[in-house]
Amino acid sequence: MAESFPTLRSTVFDATDPRGLAEFYRRLLGYEYRPGDEPPPAGEPDASDWLVLLAPNGRARLAFQGVPELPRPTWPKPDVPQQLHLDLSVPDTAELLAQHERALGLGATMLYDRFDDPVEPLYVYADPAGHPFCIFVVPPDSNEL
């Protein structure tokens, strides 16, 4: 019998403001809300404590779960660990610079600048809830996925 494996369904973020964090990643990545998870009409309260974003190609899902408290990671200091981080890639340094400006404009905070690295230029950010994420260059002709 062939070995079988589970399928990764979602990466889930705890957040004290699940809608705010979902909006950040929706705008950063171009994802869409799962039907039924869209923001409520203006003026109506948003009591959502579980939201899902879907990638345009349907292959990736990010979910956001409301929690009453969440210690903000202190990376690169070890006091409060990252707990998780996302690796996002772009094909070249021009796109890295463009996405750097977008991320900052959406509310990310830069934690680490390695733009000048000749092998793997990158920036590390904290999202509005403090979760670290990286954007780095992976050329289209690279063997990396």
Side-chain angles (χ1 to χ4, degrees):
M1 176 186 234
E3 187 173 13
S4 64
F5 303 95
T7 300
L8 177 63
R9 180 141 174 92
S10 301
T11 299
V12 181
F13 290 86
D14 284 351
T16 57
D17 176 10
R19 176 68 66 194
L21 194 57
E23 271 300 295
F24 172 81
Y25 280 106
R26 183 189 68 78
R27 294 178 63 207
L28 181 69
L29 300 173
Y31 283 23
E32 297 179 7
Y33 284 102
R34 174 180 64 179
D37 285 351
E38 300 87 354
E44 290 189 24
D46 188 349
S48 302
D49 65 351
W50 179 263
L51 300 166
V52 175
L53 293 177
L54 307 171
N57 65 10
R59 290 186 168 175
R61 293 167 44 118
L62 294 178
F64 304 87
Q65 176 175 275
V67 296
E69 290 181 36
L70 186 66
R72 189 174 179 94
T74 57
W75 188 93
K77 296 177 187 171
D79 303 342
V80 179
Q82 296 183 61
Q83 301 160 22
L84 92 115
H85 76 267
L86 296 180
D87 281 345
L88 309 174
S89 64
V90 294
D92 56 46
T93 56
E95 187 64 15
L96 179 58
L97 289 171
Q99 294 306 320
H100 172 68
E101 293 303 318
R102 280 190 70 247
L104 294 175
L106 292 170
T109 303
M110 191 168 70
L111 299 175
Y112 183 65
D113 178 345
R114 203 175 80 190
F115 180 80
D116 293 328
D117 186 296
V119 176
E120 188 178 66
L122 67 82
Y123 291 113
V124 181
Y125 308 89
D127 68 24
H131 304 105
F133 68 96
C134 304
I135 303 178
F136 59 96
V137 174
V138 176
D141 58 353
S142 168
N143 289 332
E144 288 191 46
L145 294 177

